[in-house]
């Protein structure tokens, strides 16, 4: 009997051991153990300045096989959300045309195929840009959304001689935390093909200077970016023989919903202090808001209320004046070349503002 009892307990122990060995944690009713890989480390924020050369001593001239315009396709960075600012530098070398002429740089919006004026300058009288280490400097950060990846650029100089200019353009992409992660830009007005294709001043015209702008719902900041320069020697002259629109000092208005909101004073900016000195022409007297051999100023008007998700009426308004068409100059008209853009920013992905007639 004792022997049978011992055998019974041995058999029971064997069965218990076998059950424990065959049981699994992932059997019915059990949650499997899932091993999750840790997320990859975040890409470090780039730092420093990266330079991109585009046009190099591109000869712009008129006649004898030359052109006033040149186009080029370039590759810019794609990690634009890490870029704090973008600076553009323009150098111009000889042969140096003797006249002070309208010139600009444009970039194409790949979605609309529209050219955006990103900077404007007036050439000096027969003098290169060598007094400036890197040439004229322009802050073009507002155009981040199109100055990325494959980008088409265009340079233009309204030169009427076969000598012309050797134009070079390069960009500094400065990495760091931007004020807002995302931005978008939309043209409002662009009457800037050349100095004589601007808005006629002091006479009736069919140019549309009023637009309706709708701001995206998630806009956290909005501003208007403008460039204006006047051309012509139209009369009656202001005191001191100042003809319009090159010499006559004027105050322009940007109206928002019919109210004067921003002023643009086109007056002296210090032509005699230009670092490009000893030009071969009348470079020292002050023009109305520009100087030979200098960048035409970029004017930034920040909307205190970004008007997110709403619409407003924009109007560019000129100080009243009437051209009597009595100028002794060959061209008796006055013109204002305009470009105005609306820039919106946000820390979430943002669409362009819309601009309609």
């Amino acid at each position: 009997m004792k022997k049978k009892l011992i055998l019974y307990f041995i058999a029971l122990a064997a069965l218990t051991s076998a059950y424990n060995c065959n049981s699994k944690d992932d059997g019915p009713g059990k949650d499997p153990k899932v091993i999750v890989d840790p997320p990859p480390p975040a890409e470090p924020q780039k730092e420093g300045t990266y330079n991109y050369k585009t046009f190099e001593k591109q000869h712009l001239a008129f006649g004898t096989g030359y052109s006033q315009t040149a186009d080029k396709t370039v590759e810019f960075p794609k990690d634009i959300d890490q870029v704090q600012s973008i600076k553009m530098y323009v150098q111009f070398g000889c042969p140096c045309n003797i006249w002070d002429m309208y010139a600009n740089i444009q970039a194409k919006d790949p979605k609309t195929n529209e050219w955006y004026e990103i900077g404007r300058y007036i050439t000096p009288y027969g003098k290169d840009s060598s007094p400036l280490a890197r040439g004229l400097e322009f802050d073009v950060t507002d155009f981040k959304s199109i100055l990325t990846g494959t980008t088409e650029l265009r340079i233009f100089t309204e030169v009427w001689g076969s000598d012309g200019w050797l134009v070079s353009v390069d960009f500094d992409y400065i990495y760091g935390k931007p004020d807002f992660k995302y931005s978008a830009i939309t043209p409002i007005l662009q009457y800037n093909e050349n100095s004589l294709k601007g808005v006629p001043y002091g006479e009736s015209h069919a140019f549309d200077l009023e637009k309706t702008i709708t701001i995206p719902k998630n806009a956290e900041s909005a501003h208007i970016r403008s460039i204006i320069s006047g051309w012509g020697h139209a009369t009656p002259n202001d005191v001191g023989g100042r003809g319009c629109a090159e010499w006559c000092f004027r105050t322009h208005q940007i109206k928002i919903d019919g109210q004067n909101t921003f002023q643009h004073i086109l007056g002296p900016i210090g032509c005699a202090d230009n670092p490009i000195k000893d030009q071969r022409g009348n470079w020292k007297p002050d023009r109305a808001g520009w100087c030979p051999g200098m960048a035409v100023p970029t004017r930034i008007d920040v909307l205190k209320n970004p008007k997110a998700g709403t619409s407003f009426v924009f109007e560019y308004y000129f100080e009243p004046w009437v051209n009597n068409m009595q100028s002794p100059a060959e061209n008796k008209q006055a013109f204002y070349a305009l470009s105005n853009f609306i820039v919106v920013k946000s820390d979430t992905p943002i669409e362009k503002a819309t601009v309609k007639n």
Side-chain angles (χ1 to χ4, degrees):
M1 179 67 182
K2 185 188 286 188
K3 185 177 181 180
K4 287 183 179 179
L5 190 58
I6 292 170
L7 289 173
Y8 170 78
F9 281 113
I10 292 172
L12 183 61
L15 285 171
T16 303
S17 175
Y19 175 80
N20 288 336
C21 290
N22 289 331
S23 67
K24 296 181 179 179
D25 288 340
D26 58 352
K30 300 279 187 178
D31 291 331
K33 290 182 179 178
V34 179
I35 299 175
V36 179
D37 292 330
E43 238 183 85
Q45 168 72 50
K46 262 191 192 177
E47 294 181 351
T49 299
Y50 293 72
N51 180 257
Y52 296 84
K53 297 188 184 305
T54 59
F55 298 93
E56 294 192 61
K57 296 184 178 180
Q58 177 70 50
H59 196 169
L60 299 183
F62 181 78
T64 61
Y66 290 114
S67 174
Q68 297 175 329
T69 302
D71 294 356
K72 190 169 189 176
T73 300
V74 299
E75 292 295 329
F76 285 139
K78 295 181 180 178
D79 54 351
I80 205 68
D81 59 323
Q82 295 192 51
V83 174
Q84 186 178 70
S85 62
I86 306 174
K87 298 293 179 66
M88 177 177 72
Y89 298 90
V90 179
Q91 295 177 305
F92 31 89
C94 293
C96 299
N97 183 263
I98 194 63
W99 293 106
D100 56 332
M101 300 303 293
Y102 179 104
N104 66 11
I105 302 91
Q106 300 177 73
K108 182 186 278 189
D109 180 342
K111 294 181 180 179
T112 65
N113 289 328
E114 186 174 3
W115 289 98
Y116 292 2
E117 182 181 49
I118 64 176
R120 186 189 305 173
Y121 64 99
I122 309 298
T123 63
Y125 289 94
K127 191 82 181 283
D128 65 25
S129 62
S130 59
L132 301 168
R134 297 190 62 184
L136 300 178
E137 179 182 306
F138 301 81
D139 188 328
V140 294
T141 311
D142 285 339
F143 298 94
K144 279 172 61 173
S145 57
I146 63 171
L147 296 175
T148 178
T150 303
T151 305
E152 291 184 64
L153 298 175
R154 171 173 291 170
I155 54 175
F156 168 74
T157 303
E158 192 179 359
V159 56
W160 297 104
S162 59
D163 45 8
W165 298 92
L166 302 180
V167 181
S168 300
V169 183
D170 69 297
F171 293 79
D172 278 356
Y173 281 65
I174 302 163
Y175 280 80
K177 186 177 180 181
D179 53 353
F180 291 93
K181 190 172 182 180
Y182 302 97
S183 67
I185 187 166
T186 313
I188 305 171
L189 303 175
Q190 286 205 95
Y191 299 128
N192 55 2
E193 186 178 341
N194 57 51
S195 65
L196 303 180
K197 290 295 181 70
V199 181
Y201 181 46
E203 59 180 293
S204 61
H205 60 76
F207 286 69
D208 183 7
L209 302 180
E210 187 176 296
K211 303 288 180 180
T212 298
I213 299 173
T214 303
I215 303 294
K217 291 181 180 179
N218 64 324
E220 298 175 64
S221 173
H223 68 264
I224 297 167
R225 176 190 180 97
S226 303
I227 303 176
I228 312 102
S229 59
W231 213 259
H233 297 77
T235 55
N237 290 335
D238 284 5
V239 175
R242 292 182 169 275
C244 283
E246 179 175 345
W247 300 94
C248 59
F249 300 152
R250 292 290 184 270
T251 299
H252 299 179
Q253 303 284 346
I254 288 181
K255 295 189 176 188
I256 303 294
D257 291 332
Q259 300 298 312
N260 290 340
T261 307
F262 302 111
Q263 284 190 338
H264 292 166
I265 299 173
L266 274 72
I269 63 170
C271 294
D273 297 327
N274 191 341
I276 303 178
K277 298 185 180 298
D278 301 323
Q279 297 178 31
R280 296 164 58 196
N282 189 30
W283 62 281
K284 288 185 178 181
D286 282 311
R287 273 72 171 174
W290 60 267
C291 295
M294 292 173 64
V296 177
T298 297
R299 301 167 189 267
I300 303 295
D301 298 309
V302 179
L303 297 173
K304 292 180 180 179
N305 174 0
K307 299 182 180 292
T310 66
S311 299
F312 64 89
V313 176
F314 164 101
E315 181 186 0
Y316 203 87
Y317 182 80
F318 297 113
E319 184 177 324
W321 174 81
V322 177
N323 184 349
N324 63 14
M325 297 294 179
Q326 299 300 309
S327 172
E330 183 178 343
N331 188 329
K332 301 181 185 303
Q333 292 179 282
F335 299 94
Y336 281 114
L338 289 179
S339 67
N340 310 99
F341 295 86
I342 180 73
V343 181
V344 292
K345 298 180 181 182
S346 178
D347 280 325
T348 57
I350 191 166
E351 297 293 326
K352 292 179 175 185
T354 59
V355 177
K356 295 183 179 179
N357 293 332

